Every structure is written in C-alpha cells, then in structure tokens.
Amino acid sequence: YTVGGLSGVASLAGTLDEVKVFDTLLTATEVQGDFNSGTTPDMTPPSVSITSLATGTIVSHTMTIAADATDNTSVVGVQFRIDGLDWGPEDTVPPYSVQVDTPVQLSEGPHTIDARARDLSGNTSTSPAVTITVDNSTPRPNIVFILTDDQRDFEFSTSDPLWQLDYLMPLTSARFDPAITSSINFDNATVTSPVCCPSRASILTGLYAHNHGVLQNGLPNGGALVFDDKSTLATWLNNAGYKTGLFGKYLNDTDLLGTYIPPGWSDWFAFAHQNGMFYNYTLNENGSFVTYGNTPADYSTDVLTNKSIQFINSTPSDRPFFLFLSVYAPHEPYTPAPQDIDSFINHPLWRPASFNETDVSDKPTWVQNLQPKNSTQIAIFDMDQQRALESLQSVDRSVEAIFNALSAAGRLDNTIVVYTSDNGLSWGEHRWFDDKNCVYEECVRVPFLVYFQGISPGNNSSLVQNIDLAPTFSELANVIPTTQVNGASLVPLFNDPTANWRSQSLIETLGLSPDSTYQAVRTDQYVYAEYMNGDRELYDLAIDALQLNNVVNDPAYFSIIPILKSSLTNLISQ
C-alpha cells in the first residue's frame, strides 16, 4: 500500500492486519497504539559514512571496510555493499566493519563500496559511495619505521669525526650509507613540535600539533587520552591489507589506556606506562600485561627488537607489513646495555660555543630566566651524555638485526626502512640542559635516514619534517588517507633530489606558559619565532648556525621580517 501521510497510516491500521512503514513491518495494533498515545513515529533516517577507505585507494590482500553510523534514537545495524550487492550479514554491533579477502573474493579492477544504516524505527540511509581498485598483481612494499627517543643530530653543528653518525652508530651508518647502499640521508630534517607526544601524533597523522590537538606530553592538553586515534597511518594501512605492528613507546600517558589497543594495529606490544623504560617495565602485549625484570635479557631495546623480528618472520610472504619499532634510547635515565657500559668513557666532552652561554640578553624571557650551570652540575650532565651515547649502541645492533632479518626472510628488496627520532635534545646550548621544547636547532634537528631499493642515493638538504612520513608511507602503499594531512610525500625526492619541495617549514611548541609557547617559520637560511608573550627571535643560519645572535632588532634584517612573518601566518592557517 502507498500511504500519503501518517493520518492515512493511522486510518488503515483499523482495517489492515499489518502495515509496512518504510522497511519495518508493524502490526496494526502497534501503529494504532502509537497514534492513540500521541507518540510521533520516528521519521529521521540515520547518518552513515565509509571511514576506512577513500576514493582512489588501491587495495590488495585483506581489505577492511569500516563505517560510522549515528541516529537520533538508535542504529540497529549497518549493511555493507560492494558494487550494489549486500556483502556479508548486517553488522549490528559497533564499530561497524567487514573484512574482504580481495584475491579470493573480488576481481581485479575498480569496485564501488557503500553502506546502508538502519535505525530502530526502520528508517534507512545509504552512505556516499567510494571507488577503490583491487590490484594484487604488484606486491606493495613492506614498511619498517625505527624511531628513537630524544636523539639529536650533531652533524649540523660540528665536523668533528667523533660526533658523526659513522662513529657514534657504525652499523646503522653503514646500512644507510648512500655511497654503498640505496639510501638517502636527509641532512636538514626537523620535527614540527620538538617534544615526544606531539611529535609522535604528527608522525601517525601527518598533521601539525595545532591540528591534531596533542600539544604536550600529558593532560590536560596532551598525552594518549587527548589523541584521536580513529584515523591514523595504522588504520589507513591496516584497512588496505597491511599487517601492522607497534613495538615499544607509543604516546606518553599510555598507562591511562590500560589494556586498550588503538584501532589499526594487528600486533600491539607497547610500553604500558607513561613513557617507557630499560628495565622493570610492563608491556601491553595484544591486550595482556606482561612485566619484565632487571636481568640483561630484560633490556627493553633487545626485547623489542626480538619481538619485531618475530613479527617479520610470522607475516605471510604474500602480505605486506608495517613495522613500527619505537625504542626508548637514548632517553633519560640514559641506561646502556650491560656490554656497553663505559664504552664512551673517553669520548670528548660536548662543548660548542653556545654551551652554557654566558650572555643571553638577546634571548627571549624564558632563556634569560635560566641560570648558568656550575661545575658540579655540568659534571653530572657530562655523565648523562656519556650514558646516552652508550645506550645507542644497542639500537645500533638492533638496526643491523632488523636488516639481517629482512634479508633472511627474502623481503629486504621490497622494504623501505626509515630511521629517525621524535625530537632532538639540547645538550647545554643556551643554558638549556637535557631538554627540548625549544626552537633551537639542537631541539628540532633529527637524523632522518631512508633505505629503499631503487631510490637515487645521496645526501639531500630539502626541508623535510616528521609530518611527511604518513603521506610517504601511504603513497608507497597505494593508500589514500581518510583525513587531511599537512605533510607531503617524500616519494618525488626519492628519485629526483631537485624535485619541487617546500621552502619553509613550521615549528611550534604549544600548551606551555606564554613565555615558552611559540610558533616559528624555518627556511634554509632563517628561523623566525614569535612567542605568546610578545618575544621574538630571528637567526641567520647561514652565518650563525649555533644561533648565538638574535638579530630580530638588527636594522639589517628589518626587510626580511615582514616576509617571514607572512610565511608564518600562512603556515599557521593550514
């Protein structure tokens, strides 16, 4: 029957055994009862959208289709459809998703996907369709991402061979040596926010901190609870068939997550407390807490490396994987493995011209408030730095072990390996000891090494940042992020070092006091920063790499400041 309005439904209810309103079959008694009680039947359809895949995504192996559905009353279920046909049973329990084994269940080529949501009253709506392409003919690359914690780049500020990577980490340096391997050393790389949690959130999303909202390491404006994990590199890759695994440090305040596993991770072996540790730590191992002790076998870098190798070996050869190995070194408490203790005891002390800077009158308020360190304090600092370098020796062996495992598994030739750090660390420059959250090069510069067969090897000084990792990995995997990114894929630079690239980058530390909160623009030559309290800094890196002289009030630079200020405004608006 076709009914012109609800009054028609009510009148028919007296003469018919049952009435079908949209897709819901109601008895005459139910319909009449609603009208007799004065209750208006729900006529509002639910809202539904595909969240896992974007139009244009190329998928292979296992594909996950996910949808988000909401309603003014209650969503009863979501029915996924491929090429207009129902795919599997209606999913009645959120989060709504279905997995598709593309080699077995779908033909090669384009397919259209949508989802139909149904509410308690039988109202339905269909999501906008997305078009994907199934391509199982070309294997997609495996991705190995190795992230250290607080590892700075020394090479920009000294040519002393004892502070170069080939001395500090010889095994890693050899694996990423452009002269002998298919590797690129991005030697002008920075992080967008030089502190652990915001940087890691930027790595996983490709977003600036002012967009992902993780401003510091803990509540109320940072930490794992603040991070929106529904759309990340892990979900993009996992939904497109990648096996994904995280081993080590995730975000700060992970202890507040309990045994929770963020979406998108096939394997989850994360430190289950605020940061991480070298001994006496607990891992959330796929939803169960496992505690480790203080024996040499418990040293976390080695434990995480061994689990990473198991992940590589357990992944089927026809399935691509994303391995995220996130070690705690060289973060404080600067704990080396037993065999590395005192291995750097005779290493020269770190003493650049900016060390424990005498005159900071040109610096912003927060630096002027720092007191110079005395000899006793500096001696403690020197010991910390020795231990930090020693803790990197286990990481050096870890990198070698990962490469060897990839080779033994026959997967090295189709794997991209990226090595970097979440931020740098100031080692006493400008009176700032063992800390980050600063605009200075020591805080923002990080090693950034890429190994991938077929790329054009060499050193590259392009202004790359950590926000570029998510779009790079996505492009290599033929995955389109389901949310926006601020970063850009590095793939064009892999084969053409002169490819068009950004000429300016954003650096920001947010969520602190007005004296310390800043946003800055960095170019090949200049760093210009504006603080919330009105302080400003300008450094000419071409002649002052150690940032000893703030020239923001120097008339010789007055003409460049409006240009940099305009660039900064533009970056902040993105």
Side-chain angles (χ1 to χ4, degrees):
Y1 290 87
T2 301
V3 180
L6 288 176
S7 60
V9 175
S11 64
L12 282 173
T15 59
L16 300 178
D17 291 332
E18 56 188 22
V19 177
K20 191 171 186 182
V21 180
F22 296 99
D23 287 339
T24 301
L25 197 65
L26 303 177
T27 66
T29 301
E30 289 172 327
V31 175
Q32 190 65 54
D34 280 344
F35 281 91
N36 289 341
S37 65
T39 301
T40 303
D42 174 26
M43 302 291 290
T44 304
S47 174
V48 58
S49 61
I50 300 292
T51 58
S52 60
L53 299 166
T55 290
T57 298
I58 299 175
V59 300
S60 65
H61 203 78
T62 302
M63 170 180 66
T64 300
I65 310 173
D68 181 50
T70 59
D71 186 62
N72 63 319
T73 57
S74 177
V75 174
V76 173
V78 171
Q79 176 64 61
F80 292 96
R81 305 193 304 177
I82 300 179
D83 299 328
L85 300 176
D86 290 352
W87 195 268
E90 182 182 58
D91 191 350
T92 60
V93 179
Y96 306 105
S97 65
V98 66
Q99 283 197 334
V100 182
D101 186 352
T102 65
V104 175
Q105 297 177 289
L106 291 179
S107 62
E108 297 285 286
H111 295 274
T112 301
I113 297 172
D114 61 25
R116 184 179 63 245
R118 179 171 64 91
D119 69 11
L120 195 61
S121 300
N123 302 311
T124 64
S125 63
T126 302
S127 71
V130 298
T131 300
I132 57 94
T133 299
V134 173
D135 182 3
N136 290 296
S137 61
T138 304
R140 292 176 294 170
N142 309 300
I143 300 167
V144 173
F145 178 48
I146 303 173
L147 186 70
T148 57
D149 200 328
D150 289 359
Q151 183 179 359
R152 55 177 285 162
D153 179 15
F154 294 100
E155 297 185 4
F156 78 90
S157 56
T158 179
S159 58
D160 186 336
L162 295 182
W163 290 99
Q164 306 301 297
L165 191 67
D166 56 359
Y167 180 84
L168 300 177
M169 301 181 71
L171 299 174
T172 300
S173 179
R175 286 293 188 174
F176 292 97
D177 185 349
I180 57 177
T181 68
S182 186
S183 302
I184 297 176
N185 174 16
F186 287 101
D187 55 16
N188 196 15
T190 62
V191 296
T192 58
S193 295
V195 65
C196 298
C197 205
S199 176
R200 291 165 182 267
S202 291
I203 287 169
L204 290 168
T205 63
L207 293 172
Y208 294 129
H210 68 255
N211 284 328
H212 62 59
V214 180
L215 307 184
Q216 283 297 314
N217 285 342
L219 296 172
N221 55 8
L225 290 182
V226 174
F227 182 54
D228 183 356
D229 59 18
K230 293 190 294 294
S231 178
T232 68
L233 180 61
T235 63
W236 308 337
L237 295 177
N238 186 249
N239 288 334
Y242 272 70
K243 183 181 178 183
T244 57
L246 181 139
F247 301 85
K249 182 175 176 179
Y250 175 54
L251 301 175
N252 300 71
D253 278 358
T254 307
D255 55 316
L256 301 180
L257 298 179
T259 57
Y260 171 76
I261 300 174
W265 296 101
S266 311
D267 280 307
W268 184 256
F269 291 81
F271 285 117
H273 41 83
Q274 180 177 353
N275 291 315
M277 199 56 67
F278 297 97
Y279 294 108
N280 299 315
Y281 55 92
T282 299
L283 295 180
N284 175 0
E285 299 192 356
N286 287 327
S288 298
F289 286 145
V290 178
T291 299
Y292 294 80
N294 58 1
T295 71
D298 295 313
Y299 189 71
S300 63
T301 302
D302 297 337
V303 169
L304 296 171
T305 300
N306 291 335
K307 291 183 181 297
S308 297
I309 292 173
Q310 292 171 10
F311 174 85
I312 293 171
N313 293 334
S314 65
T315 303
S317 59
D318 63 343
R319 186 176 186 184
F321 62 78
F322 168 48
L323 166 61
F324 185 176
L325 173 57
S326 180
V327 298
Y328 197 46
H331 196 286
E332 61 87 20
Y334 313 116
T335 306
Q339 64 267 43
D340 300 316
I341 295 174
D342 288 342
S343 58
F344 276 71
I345 194 169
N346 294 318
H347 198 263
L349 301 176
W350 182 247
R351 293 295 188 270
S354 54
F355 184 85
N356 209 23
E357 192 172 354
T358 302
D359 182 5
V360 293
S361 60
D362 62 319
K363 297 296 189 291
T365 302
W366 75 270
V367 178
Q368 294 183 36
N369 289 336
L370 297 174
Q371 296 301 310
K373 301 293 185 182
N374 59 39
S375 58
T376 301
Q377 293 170 318
I378 291 176
I380 296 173
F381 159 80
D382 289 337
M383 178 61 70
D384 286 344
Q385 307 327 305
Q386 174 195 322
R387 298 300 194 206
L389 295 176
E390 291 168 354
S391 74
L392 281 173
Q393 303 317 297
S394 60
V395 181
D396 197 33
R397 293 189 295 271
S398 174
V399 171
E400 177 73 2
I402 293 294
F403 270 91
N404 287 340
L406 291 168
S407 181
R411 308 193 76 150
L412 183 59
D413 287 347
N414 192 38
T415 299
I416 179 172
V417 186
V418 175
Y419 179 98
T420 188
S421 180
D422 57 358
N423 50 258
L425 196 73
S426 185
W427 275 24
E429 295 88 351
H430 320 297
R431 304 183 183 178
W432 195 225
F433 284 76
D434 284 351
D435 218 330
K436 46 253 185 174
N437 260 331
C438 76
V439 73
Y440 305 124
E441 297 284 274
E442 294 79 16
C443 292
V444 303
R445 294 280 288 262
V446 291
F448 200 113
L449 312 172
V450 177
Y451 169 92
F452 194 29
Q453 283 294 327
I455 63 176
S456 180
N459 294 325
N460 189 304
S461 297
S462 300
L463 296 176
V464 304
Q465 294 195 286
N466 54 345
I467 53 170
D468 301 325
L469 290 165
T472 300
F473 295 154
S474 296
E475 179 173 347
L476 292 172
N478 289 322
V479 171
I480 298 176
T482 56
T483 50
Q484 69 163 7
V485 296
N486 293 122
S489 171
L490 298 167
V491 171
L493 295 175
F494 286 173
N495 296 310
D496 181 7
T498 65
N500 187 40
W501 193 251
R502 69 170 65 93
S503 59
Q504 54 201 17
S505 53
L506 177 69
I507 299 169
E508 56 186 2
T509 290
L510 306 173
L512 296 177
S513 69
D515 287 355
S516 302
T517 296
Y518 68 84
Q519 291 179 302
V521 58
R522 184 177 179 277
T523 70
D524 282 326
Q525 182 172 355
Y526 298 107
V527 176
Y528 172 72
E530 294 184 345
Y531 289 78
M532 185 180 290
N533 68 351
D535 287 344
R536 297 184 303 159
E537 290 183 279
L538 173 63
Y539 298 97
D540 187 341
L541 300 177
I543 60 175
D544 184 21
L546 297 181
Q547 295 165 292
L548 291 168
N549 300 303
N550 178 11
V551 294
V552 74
N553 293 317
D554 186 337
Y557 291 90
F558 283 179
S559 62
I560 191 64
I561 292 177
I563 298 173
L564 295 172
K565 185 178 181 65
S566 176
S567 297
L568 177 59
T569 301
N570 178 60
L571 289 168
I572 293 171
S573 69
Q574 295 177 12

